[in-house]
Amino acid sequence: MTPTEELVYQVAPDGKAAQAGRELAQGDAFAEPRISPDGAWLFASCRGSERLPYQVLVHLPGPDRIVTACTCSSMKRPCKHALGLLLLAAQAPERFQQEEPSAALRKRIEKEGVTTPVKPAPERAKPIDVGEALFQAICAEPLDDAPRLIYADWLEENGDADRADFIRVQCRLAQLPADAAEGAQLRKREKKLWTAHRQKWLAHVPKHLRGGCGQFDRGFLGELALEVKALVQHGAGLFEHHPIHRVRVLGGRGQAPVAKLAVCPFLARLRSLSLAGGLLQGPGKWNAIVATPFLAGLTELDVSDNPLGSRGLAVLAGSPHLSRLERLDLGGTHLSDAALAAFLGATDLGQLRFLDLSNNSVGNGGAAALAGSPSLAGLRELGLGGNKVGPKGAKALAASSHLGELRSLDLVGSPIADAGARALAEPQALEKLEKLDVRGCGLEGPALALLERRFGAGLLAKLNPS
């Protein structure tokens, strides 16, 4: 079994231990790391809090378990030293010298070794029939309707016409505008099917969670809304039987640490994750979540209303697993101009289409950093409401050569004044901009008239409903 970053998180007892192991691997804690010629044994000494270094030993006997031993006194197994040695082998195999383990080391594993099963990865086993293969195709492409409709055809051909109908109805509703005439009849049909078959379709959801644990989306349970404890306890089973791709982590009294989720392999199926609302109190929780390789598939991340500050944003910028993000909500996360500028300079945001920075302390410097960031060339929506962007910042945004794809800009409550409004009203400023929200910006009649001329009749009335 080849050591990988995913393997470390599959055997780690919790996110905190995995993060501690990562820090050891990235530092200079290990001396003379060794690996057996067949790759089944890893051993090294590791500096720790004791006078003598710890002796760390890892045996990889097969794909479903690892055995570890360490002279440290930690009650957690694998301990952070064993996890760090595994990560070092995954990230820097060139540092290891080949050497067969001695008879004493082999005997030590037999006597002191602790065996840890490898948590199964989210990929399912080889399909046993056509239906299972079609279901796996839905899990692999959760945002695509085509596999769902093909599965619906298969269900109908195999005697489950009502479930097939439900999938088709929800897929059609997802495509329609909210006020479409066709929608009323479809929603009536959806409700009838759901009432008749709800218990059957929720058979794999624990009964105490059926009241409101998530949402059916285009025929299947696609979103979970649960506290950390429930996710850790039931997540693997729910993901096995449903093509879940969105999770909203809920807060609650006695909430388990969010870092516990970092070692859950089912997170690899996620496309959207919300940790909003104060769940990330303390850098340890945030660091462990950002570092987990199971979030590499995310396209949407909401961490709004958490006190991340400059340190938290720097941790996010350093993550190698979040380069696919298309939507990022950093509203109310205590961000400053300097923190935002550093983040934009250190992060690959080439896929980003939506960025919410509302209710922070972003001013003219932050607006200038946004305007000058080449990695935001694909941005479509930008939220800066509730910040301190003044005339200089508005002018910088208006003159940006990198925000040419921007369609929506929220500056609610920002003191851009008439000078900033006039800059944004220029025809060549952000040429593709369709929606500009400047409510509460203290603008006067002439400036608003210029904006109305630029963005179309009715804007003035919308901004001043009285």
Side-chain angles (χ1 to χ4, degrees):
M1 180 166 50
T2 303
T4 64
E5 194 168 347
E6 288 79 4
L7 172 64
V8 172
Y9 281 79
Q10 284 173 273
V11 299
D14 52 47
K16 185 177 180 181
Q19 180 62 22
R22 177 183 291 275
E23 291 168 1
L24 289 173
Q26 292 175 343
D28 194 27
F30 292 98
E32 299 182 341
R34 297 287 192 268
I35 186 170
S36 62
D38 63 1
W41 295 82
L42 305 172
F43 45 102
S45 60
C46 179
R47 289 200 310 272
S49 56
E50 302 294 334
R51 181 175 63 86
L52 295 176
Y54 302 121
Q55 300 303 309
V56 191
L57 180 60
V58 176
H59 181 38
L60 306 170
D64 58 347
R65 60 194 175 96
I66 71 167
V67 188
T68 59
C70 183
T71 56
C72 73
S73 59
S74 174
M75 298 298 291
K76 293 182 179 181
R77 285 294 186 268
C79 65
K80 64 181 181 181
H81 311 105
L83 296 172
L85 186 59
L86 277 166
L87 276 170
L88 185 66
Q91 296 172 349
E94 70 280 358
R95 288 187 54 184
F96 285 72
Q97 298 294 320
Q98 284 198 1
E99 182 180 316
E100 285 286 359
S102 65
L105 286 178
R106 293 175 182 268
K107 187 174 181 179
R108 190 172 138 222
I109 272 286
E110 293 177 5
K111 183 178 180 180
E112 305 173 16
V114 176
T115 300
T116 303
V118 177
K119 301 186 192 86
E123 291 78 11
R124 298 161 68 93
K126 185 177 180 180
I128 58 175
D129 58 32
V130 174
E132 177 66 16
L134 293 174
F135 178 78
Q136 289 191 29
I138 295 171
C139 293
E141 298 292 341
L143 304 182
D144 188 353
D145 280 353
R148 296 169 186 259
L149 296 174
I150 294 171
Y151 187 64
D153 292 341
W154 179 86
L155 286 171
E156 186 169 23
E157 292 169 1
N158 286 269
D160 198 348
D162 282 352
R163 185 64 194 276
D165 192 16
F166 185 73
I167 294 170
R168 293 174 185 135
V169 165
Q170 285 208 322
C171 284
R172 180 58 182 158
L173 281 170
Q175 296 171 352
L176 292 176
D179 57 352
E182 182 185 351
Q185 189 64 31
L186 286 171
R187 281 188 287 273
K188 184 178 178 180
R189 179 63 178 159
E190 175 192 35
K191 183 178 180 180
K192 182 178 180 180
L193 290 165
W194 178 250
T195 302
H197 300 286
R198 176 179 181 273
Q199 295 303 325
K200 177 183 177 182
W201 296 341
L202 289 174
H204 295 104
V205 178
K207 289 185 178 180
H208 69 285
L209 297 178
R210 294 180 188 178
C213 75
Q215 179 178 337
F216 263 65
D217 170 29
R218 293 169 297 139
F220 300 85
L221 182 62
E223 176 181 312
L224 290 180
L226 293 172
E227 294 184 0
V228 171
K229 183 178 180 181
L231 272 171
V232 171
Q233 185 175 357
H234 302 290
L238 290 170
F239 273 77
E240 181 182 358
H241 294 101
H242 302 275
I244 296 162
H245 55 97
R246 297 192 306 270
V247 162
R248 289 186 295 116
V249 182
L250 304 179
R253 209 166 184 181
Q255 172 73 288
V258 173
K260 285 184 175 293
L261 293 174
V263 296
C264 296
F266 57 77
L267 291 184
R269 287 249 305 273
L270 287 186
R271 298 296 181 270
S272 175
L273 175 64
S274 171
L275 297 167
L279 290 169
L280 301 171
Q281 302 283 344
K285 299 176 182 179
W286 177 231
N287 292 5
I289 283 291
V290 170
T292 178
F294 300 135
L295 292 184
L298 277 189
T299 58
E300 300 181 4
L301 177 62
D302 181 356
V303 290
S304 59
D305 299 320
N306 283 290
L308 299 185
S310 57
R311 289 180 61 189
L313 202 60
V315 171
L316 180 63
S319 172
H321 306 302
L322 300 176
S323 61
R324 296 177 60 184
L325 284 181
E326 297 174 8
R327 298 178 64 89
L328 177 60
D329 192 337
L330 294 169
T333 50
H334 301 191
L335 303 185
S336 64
D337 284 352
L340 179 58
F343 174 71
L344 293 171
T347 314
D348 177 10
L349 300 173
Q351 300 298 316
L352 205 63
R353 300 295 177 263
F354 171 93
L355 177 61
D356 191 346
L357 299 167
S358 58
N359 302 316
N360 282 296
S361 299
V362 177
N364 292 331
L370 290 164
S373 175
S375 69
L376 296 179
L379 198 65
R380 302 293 197 275
E381 301 179 55
L382 176 60
L384 285 168
N387 281 286
K388 303 175 181 179
V389 178
K392 289 183 178 179
K395 289 179 180 179
L397 293 170
S400 173
S401 60
H402 301 298
L403 297 176
E405 295 298 317
L406 201 64
R407 267 70 165 179
S408 175
L409 176 60
D410 176 1
L411 289 167
V412 171
S414 300
I416 64 171
D418 287 1
R422 285 195 294 271
L424 291 166
E426 291 292 332
Q428 69 273 19
L430 303 175
E431 292 182 358
K432 294 187 179 181
L433 196 64
E434 300 168 352
K435 180 181 178 182
L436 175 66
D437 198 337
V438 289
R439 290 172 294 172
C441 291
L443 303 180
E444 298 179 356
L448 288 176
L450 288 173
L451 290 176
E452 183 183 40
R453 186 183 306 166
R454 161 78 193 276
F455 293 101
L459 177 65
L460 194 61
K462 290 179 182 178
L463 296 179
N464 296 274
S466 60

